[in-house]
Amino acid sequence: MPDIRLFGIRHHGPGSARSLQAALADFAPDCLLIEGPPDADALIPLAAHEGMAPPVALLVYRPDRPRDCAFFPFAAFSPEWVAMRHGLTAGAAIRFIDLPHAIQLADGFGAPPESEAAPIEAEPVAEAAEDPAGTLPAPAAIRRDPLGELAAAAGYPDGERWWDALVESRAGADGDVFAAIAEAMAALRDGPDPEDGIREEAREAHMRVAIRKAAKEDFSRIAVVCGAWHVPALARHDAKGQASADTATLKGLPKTKVAAAWAPWSYERLATASGYRAGVLSPEWYDTLWHHEGRVAARWLARAAALLREEDLDASPASVIEAARLAEALAAFRGRSRPSLDDLDEATQATLCFADPGPMGLIRRKLVIGERLGATPPDCPGTPVEADFEAQCKRLRLKPGASAGDLVLDLRKETDLARSHFLNRLALIGVPWGTRREARGRGTFKEAWFLAWQPDWVVELVAASAEGGTIAEAAASRVKGRARGAQRVSDLSGLIGTLLDADLPEATAQVTRALDDRAAVSADVFDLMEALPALAELARYGSVRSSDTEPVLAVVRGLVPRAAAGLVAACQSLDDDAAHTAKTRIVAVSGAVALLEDPELKATWQDALRSLADQEHVHGRVVGRAVRLLFDDRAIAAEEAGTRLRLALSRAAGAAPAAAWIEGFLEESGPVLIHGQGLLGIVDDWLAGLDEALFTELLPLVRRTFATLAPAERRAIGEALARGGGPGAGSADGPEGFDAARASAVLPILRLLLGPATTTGDTA
């Protein structure tokens, strides 16, 4: 019988990794069995490739449904990574022994339980594999927090900090720690969790089967590296009757086809804060512990000081020395052999940051969580989305990693149009490689971008494989998810524009149907109105991208009558702020209707505006703007506009409502007064007729209205009033305001410009 030893570890723990490294060197196994996906056994040799730089992750996914997947992250200080590297160097056989994901991702494999470690995504990313088992589990799994009891007894706030203090952050490498861990886990385990028992039972049964299989082969020393929680269960591999029980557990389990790939990862994704429940609180700190065990405090404080100096903050060598002394004193006071991260944090905050939380936030982000990004060899099998990204970049002649710069696209050209679609799709999956800018020049066919590539976006490409096999599929899936969560019609209208820019017709059709369905039952008229301008612009100009905008136009044709029918009721009983919002949306919808140039829609909307203009109990600002919009569209004559203005400004209407009416009618509307055929005179007569008290009361409101006019417009209005009565006061054919002497002064210049007269007389 071979010598079989179980090493229970904490995933991503430098103390576990250091103890395991020493134990493996002493044991010298010729076979290494590691908790991990057997589906990726063929990729293990790549761990020794010189181009492989952790953090990296194994991805196992279903090719037919890439959203069903599992990520297995590894850092340099992950015990599984140390075991793989040791085995490859020593020439030992290496195998993953967890339950294959060909089973775990198969349809019908139990219910999707809540596992020990969620996917790397902070949000759920899969349907049938929303919580894949392959994300390496933490030692506390089957019960909510089995280490919490030990932590509480030892005076620690939680099991994570207790484990870190006693196992991960301790000095040296003690191989006997694995015996202590096994004893603790055996005491804590009291049976499987009924909510997750079937899945955990299958996993541990498969690992025991793999151990027995290796024992029957020609191996003399077998090392089993697994999560500490599983050690008591795997120790029963040779118990009487266990083989039969395991065979029965695994019999008849469903299977599906899966694929595996290596992918770059990041410390930010490895952190618990990212939502990865098998993650660690401080990846960068653990990296420092792993690589600089003997001088970890000095190195960490030196890096903190350098980081502060890069931000032009004071961090003298004397302050670093004082921080080191304080950290050592805190550690000694707390009974530690060397400073922990908590000790260093407190010392740094007191001496280097002077209790300022701002610099400490920077230090924690850079030196506790970290921004390290891994890399995989160029010839390494990648994820589906990565492969599609590389193919698209090659086809469209775009190079990630190149220096930042501007890119102007001509959407009439096939390649430039495809580039636009590509950049918009990337933005949808969280890779904003390009930032839209305003294009210079005339024509809607131009589109300007600023391209700046960030290396850590590779992680987003990997994560997007959980949502589709290509960038287009992942982007469409991401937007569909947002559409399902949208509560308002206007939110859905914004998504349609995004999808048209990205040329995702199937998703566009689905979101359009959802918008139409939501609009049909929506009682929020202002929500419908808020959605209309964006949709109208898409219906009018979307064809520049060669997109089919007919479905969008159909939605607009349905929304305008609904908004028109409810406009009057929606505008009742509004206060000043609500009236301003209503006025803004009415103006926007009027512009949208004008943009479409549809006579039927225009007539429907104008009827609604006329009904609104006839209301006596609607806020004056809204009614005044409705009259102005009708006047601008020539739906009412100047005489009718003047009559409505006189009625609104009459003494019977009241001073405050009159001021609100005139504000709605005139704000940002200088030309209507300058060229409004007598309207300026009506306003002037109303103001002149106010008594002193009312004039003083209304003056701020009137000044606020005229402040919205451009300076040149205000000057023109003043000149018109100085002439008496305004531009429309006199006869349209009269010579009022004409200066014959000034006009004759330009006649010689006009003769030079126009040439000799061709008719008799002075024709200038």
Side-chain angles (χ1 to χ4, degrees):
M1 286 290 293
D3 185 3
I4 301 175
R5 298 189 188 180
L6 301 178
F7 299 97
I9 50 88
R10 191 264 195 253
H11 305 286
H12 317 306
S16 294
R18 200 174 303 282
S19 294
L20 180 63
Q21 187 178 52
L24 292 178
D26 181 64
F27 183 45
D30 53 1
C31 179
L32 269 166
L33 305 180
I34 303 173
E35 181 185 337
D39 321 82
D41 276 352
L43 300 180
I44 292 177
L46 286 172
H49 195 289
E50 60 181 9
M52 189 75 77
V56 292
L58 278 172
L59 169 65
V60 181
Y61 61 95
R62 288 182 56 161
D64 59 331
R65 292 206 309 255
R67 293 182 64 191
D68 294 355
C69 65
F71 295 102
F72 299 77
F74 301 95
F77 49 80
S78 299
E80 298 87 351
W81 181 261
V82 170
M84 279 191 288
R85 299 278 294 193
H86 175 90
L88 291 170
T89 302
I94 307 174
R95 301 172 186 172
F96 287 133
I97 61 171
D98 204 344
L99 185 67
H101 272 65
I103 295 175
Q104 297 198 52
L105 297 180
D107 296 331
F109 177 64
E114 185 175 345
S115 86
E116 321 161 6
I120 297 307
E121 307 309 306
E123 302 174 354
V125 297
E127 298 170 345
E130 188 170 346
D131 199 0
T135 45
L136 299 168
I142 293 183
R143 287 200 271 170
R144 287 182 182 271
D145 185 11
L147 296 183
E149 301 173 15
L150 296 177
Y156 286 85
D158 53 55
E160 168 77 16
R161 287 175 173 80
W162 175 83
W163 183 276
D164 176 78
L166 270 68
V167 180
E168 307 305 342
S169 295
R170 76 190 191 287
D174 184 2
D176 292 340
V177 71
F178 295 110
I181 290 173
E183 182 180 355
M185 296 303 109
L188 289 171
R189 285 188 65 135
D190 58 359
D193 186 338
E195 296 182 0
D196 202 15
I198 296 176
R199 175 173 164 274
E200 288 302 309
E201 186 178 355
R203 292 183 61 207
E204 291 177 346
H206 188 275
M207 286 192 272
R208 286 190 293 264
V209 169
I211 294 172
R212 287 192 293 268
K213 180 182 177 182
K216 294 177 182 179
E217 300 181 37
D218 190 21
F219 297 119
S220 58
R221 294 176 304 280
I222 300 175
V224 180
V225 180
C226 62
W229 184 258
H230 300 294
V231 169
L234 301 191
R236 302 196 310 268
H237 65 87
D238 58 352
K240 185 177 180 180
Q242 189 64 58
S244 299
D246 291 341
T247 301
T249 299
L250 298 174
K251 185 177 180 180
L253 294 180
K255 290 186 178 182
T256 188
K257 184 179 180 180
V258 297
W262 282 108
W265 214 243
S266 70
Y267 277 176
E268 184 179 3
R269 291 273 184 172
L270 196 64
T272 306
S274 72
Y276 173 39
R277 283 181 289 169
V280 293
L281 295 174
S282 47
E284 185 65 32
W285 165 249
Y286 273 5
D287 187 279
T288 306
L289 281 177
W290 174 249
H291 289 105
H292 308 282
E293 181 190 16
R295 45 194 177 91
V296 60
R299 177 165 180 89
W300 195 87
L301 289 170
R303 291 179 64 193
L307 188 62
L308 293 176
R309 286 193 288 268
E310 288 175 2
E311 299 297 324
D312 293 329
L313 298 173
D314 291 335
S316 66
S319 297
V320 175
I321 294 171
E322 184 62 27
R325 289 175 177 171
L326 179 56
E328 294 284 353
L330 289 171
F333 179 77
R334 292 162 178 166
R336 301 185 180 118
S337 60
R338 66 180 182 185
S340 68
L341 180 58
D342 289 339
D343 300 326
L344 291 169
D345 184 285
E346 293 177 20
T348 301
Q349 185 159 356
T351 58
L352 290 175
C353 298
F354 307 102
D356 187 347
M360 279 308 302
L362 174 67
I363 290 173
R364 289 174 182 139
R365 187 176 72 252
K366 298 274 191 177
L367 302 184
V368 177
I369 293 179
E371 299 177 343
R372 195 181 303 267
L373 179 69
T376 56
D379 55 347
C380 181
T383 63
V385 171
E386 282 184 288
D388 183 58
F389 175 78
E390 292 174 2
Q392 295 279 7
C393 287
K394 184 176 181 180
R395 181 175 68 87
L396 299 174
R397 299 189 298 277
L398 295 173
K399 294 182 179 181
S403 57
D406 293 309
L407 177 67
V408 179
L409 303 178
D410 185 342
L411 300 182
R412 297 170 298 181
K413 298 179 180 179
E414 183 178 353
T415 299
D416 281 2
L417 182 61
R419 287 175 173 174
S420 175
H421 293 157
F422 180 59
L423 293 172
N424 279 290
R425 291 170 183 173
L426 286 174
L428 288 175
I429 63 173
V431 184
W433 185 5
T435 303
R436 290 279 290 271
R437 295 190 172 182
E438 184 177 353
R440 296 182 179 180
R442 303 176 64 181
T444 58
F445 54 83
K446 286 187 178 181
E447 192 173 81
W449 294 81
F450 179 76
L451 301 186
W453 179 258
Q454 299 294 331
D456 59 343
W457 286 337
V458 175
V459 178
E460 298 295 339
L461 293 175
V462 175
S465 294
E467 309 214 35
T470 65
I471 290 175
E473 291 176 3
S477 177
R478 190 74 58 91
V479 176
K480 288 177 184 177
R482 290 169 56 190
R484 287 192 292 270
Q487 300 297 321
R488 306 177 72 246
V489 175
S490 54
D491 294 336
L492 291 170
S493 69
L495 291 180
I496 291 178
T498 301
L499 289 167
L500 284 176
D501 287 348
D503 189 32
L504 300 170
E506 181 181 352
T508 303
Q510 181 174 330
V511 175
T512 302
R513 287 193 299 271
L515 187 151
D516 205 19
D517 294 343
R518 186 73 55 83
V521 298
S522 176
D524 189 345
V525 174
F526 289 147
D527 184 25
L528 301 180
M529 294 171 64
E530 188 177 349
L532 272 168
L535 293 175
E537 186 172 355
L538 290 173
R540 179 65 186 270
Y541 297 121
S543 58
V544 175
R545 296 176 168 275
S546 302
S547 303
D548 182 14
T549 58
E550 187 58 36
V552 180
L553 185 58
V555 172
V556 173
R557 289 184 177 128
L559 287 181
V560 171
R562 293 182 187 127
L567 181 61
V568 173
C571 291
Q572 301 291 328
S573 304
L574 301 178
D575 59 19
D576 290 344
D577 292 338
H580 174 73
T581 301
K583 185 268 302 181
T584 301
R585 290 178 178 170
I586 290 170
V587 171
V589 172
S590 297
V593 171
L595 187 67
L596 293 172
E597 297 182 347
D598 186 314
E600 184 176 349
L601 291 180
K602 186 173 184 178
T604 300
W605 184 246
Q606 286 183 348
D607 289 343
L609 290 178
R610 190 179 292 275
S611 298
L612 187 61
D614 293 336
Q615 297 298 308
E616 295 182 359
H617 303 293
V618 174
H619 198 285
R621 196 173 190 180
V622 175
V623 175
R625 179 53 62 167
V627 173
R628 166 66 196 286
L629 291 171
L630 291 169
F631 177 73
D632 286 348
D633 283 344
R634 302 182 185 277
I636 60 174
E639 291 76 10
E640 182 179 348
T643 300
R644 289 179 179 273
L645 180 59
R646 290 189 184 92
L647 291 175
L649 304 185
S650 66
R651 287 185 176 273
W661 199 100
I662 195 173
E663 183 176 17
F665 186 82
L666 296 180
E667 61 183 335
E668 301 176 354
S669 307
V672 75
L673 290 175
I674 299 172
H675 309 292
Q677 301 185 15
L679 293 181
L680 180 59
I682 298 171
V683 175
D684 186 39
D685 291 342
W686 170 69
L687 286 173
L690 294 174
D691 58 42
E692 183 177 357
L694 279 177
F695 181 83
T696 302
E697 178 183 352
L698 294 178
L699 181 59
L701 295 177
V702 176
R703 290 189 64 181
R704 184 177 67 185
T705 299
F706 279 87
T708 64
L709 307 183
E713 294 173 345
R714 293 200 298 269
R715 184 168 54 252
I717 292 171
E719 291 173 352
L721 290 171
R723 291 193 296 268
S731 170
D733 299 326
E736 182 180 351
F738 179 75
D739 189 332
R742 294 180 64 189
S744 63
V746 303
L747 292 181
I749 302 300
L750 287 177
R751 290 191 182 96
L752 291 175
L753 293 174
L754 300 177
T758 56
T759 59
T760 58
D762 190 348
T763 61

